[in-house]
Amino acid sequence: MSKFSTLIFISGLSFLLIVITAQLPIAHPPMLIGQYIIDHAVQDTGVTNIVTSVVLAYRGLDTLGELAILFTAASGVGLLLSNKLNTKLQPSTKTVRLSNSNFIIEHALNLLFPLLLVVGFYVIFHGHLTPGGGFQGGVIIASAFFLNILAKPYKSSDSEIESTHNNLTIIESLSGVTFIAIGLYALISGHDFLEPFLSHGQLGSLWSAGTLPFLYIAVGLKVGAELSSLLITLYDIDSEELTD
Amino acid sequence: MTHFANYLTTYLTTEIILYTGAIGLLVIGLLGLLVLKNIFRLLLSLVIFESGANLFLVLSGFRANGIAPILTSTQENMSQLVMNDPVPQALVLTAIVIGVGIQALALSLIIKIYQRYRTLDMNEIHRKLEQDIAGISQSTPLASQEQPLYLYQKNSLVQNNEGEK
Amino acid sequence: MDISALIALIIVFIMLSSALCVLFLPNMIAAVMASSVISLSLTIIFALLKAPDVAMTEAAIGAGLGSLILAIGLKRLNYFNIESHQSNVSGTDPGQ
């Protein structure tokens, strides 16, 4: 009976969606804000990638809220899955790590790791010129560091993981503070919060678009640090699970 | 046959096909959320649902013959360029990042549930949870609509017998 | 029907069939792989829709990091088996 009602609900919902979609102006959207931004973004902010100007300049507060949501999710994962309490109660239960990975993976990783870092930082630094930016580059950097842990599991002991966590926390807090400080400096010097304020420079060069590259670097470091700490926490196997 | 082919070429444009894909993802994701019982698969269907919503949003900013909202050379008049709407693209860009954070949070909740109850079946978890609550509050579990009443009476009888022993 | 509509038709077909695979395949690793296929086809669709930023984000986050997170979750939920009819607890969980 419940499956039957589910089927009715699903078919009704799909009919509703199809009817709504048929009334949309397909391929001719009402460009009210969009046309204004396309017309004025280059003069206002000096970027060539207009999506970046929306993310960081026109809707910069949105990005700050988004970073807050990501931070909440990462700290929630840390709260749920951290085994700091367990290790404090029963120390040195976790000396046995996973088995060694093989030779080929390890050396391929040594080759791949600097390349991944270069790609990640390239994507972050050119966020205002080409597709890409802090979010994508941060994720690439996080996956580079996490591949390191995946390929060499036996080298990471408890103390190393703890020091890595501390470093990540420092990077994350510093980049978050940088983001807000740039916004507050704009507020103090007479602009709106998070409004880009340095000179625009030559259109299309790396040093252009005012403060937007710095904001994107802060976003990239914050996203990278948050996601790598999240991945490390998820990957870290409890002593409880090892006994099973 | 040629009439049918003409019909297809006029009405089956790229946007119509992609809107069909977005609606299909939304419906399949919701179907999974409603029908399935394994909570890990519920997470997977949530991911599908979210992908469908993202595709719908990006499609809503698509213009016919539009180019990507990126300046490739310093043109003279910007207003003659037909660019896609950058606002939904920026929205979806942040939505994808938030989505992966929420995915990780849900996964850690699922891992916690699995560590506690050793199962991922939703009915099983519900039953064990009710037993836990009843064990803490020293009362018999309330009857729910999903299970007939006599089963609950049998369960409570068994529990009472155990309590007497 | 131009070439982009043909590509869109093929990609949407792959995407919807792998979405059904996610819901109903008995093996969990295959289900996670199918969700990764959905993200990859979404990447191609976003590139077709002239949204390169979103396409990069989906490729890096949806197809890369999201599948990695789900795979780690499979490992911690004891679902990490290649065999088709397996379960994480003895006999009670049919996998769906």
Side-chain angles (χ1 to χ4, degrees), chain B residues 9 14 17 28 38 40-41 44 51 55 58 62 66 68 84 89 92-93 96-97 100 103 107 114-115 118 120, chain C residues 1 4-5 22-23 25-26 28 42 45 49-51 54 58 61 66 69-70 73 77-79 88-89 95-96:
Chain B
T9 37
T14 313
I17 296 168
I28 291 173
N38 187 317
F40 188 75
R41 269 186 209 271
L44 289 179
S51 312
L55 182 54
V58 172
F62 179 70
N84 288 336
Q89 295 192 13
V92 170
L93 198 150
I96 292 172
V97 183
V100 84
Q103 194 178 325
L107 188 64
Y114 179 67
Q115 283 176 356
R118 291 283 144 200
L120 288 178
Chain C
M1 181 183 280
S4 76
V22 168
L23 299 196
L25 274 181
M28 278 295 180
L42 271 177
I45 286 175
L49 287 174
K50 312 281 170 48
V54 187
E58 183 70 43
I61 296 177
I69 285 176
L70 289 176
L77 296 174
N78 291 339
Y79 265 135
N88 58 343
V89 281
Q96 286 195 13

Side-chain angles (χ1 to χ4, degrees), chain C residues 51-74:
Chain C
D53 281 275
V54 187
M56 270 190 81
T57 318
E58 183 70 43
I61 296 177
L65 201 81
S67 310
L68 188 61
I69 285 176
L70 289 176
I72 295 169
L74 280 185

Side-chain angles (χ1 to χ4, degrees), chain A residues 116-150:
Chain A
L116 275 174
L117 278 190
V118 168
V119 170
F121 279 110
Y122 176 86
V123 169
I124 291 179
F125 288 149
H126 290 252
H128 57 294
L129 302 177
T130 52
F135 296 112
Q136 295 93 327
V139 171
I140 293 172
I141 290 173
S143 57
F145 279 105
F146 184 67
L147 276 184
N148 218 350
I149 295 170
L150 265 187

Side-chain angles (χ1 to χ4, degrees), chain B residues 35-55:
Chain B
V35 167
L36 298 178
K37 293 296 177 199
N38 187 317
I39 52 175
F40 188 75
R41 269 186 209 271
L42 287 189
L43 174 61
L44 289 179
S45 14
L46 196 70
V47 172
I48 295 174
F49 193 65
E50 187 195 305
S51 312
N54 287 341
L55 182 54

Side-chain angles (χ1 to χ4, degrees), chain C residues 2-16:
Chain C
D2 55 343
I3 189 72
S4 76
L6 200 64
I7 294 174
L9 195 62
I10 296 169
I11 296 292
V12 164
F13 181 72
I14 293 173
M15 191 173 72
L16 291 185

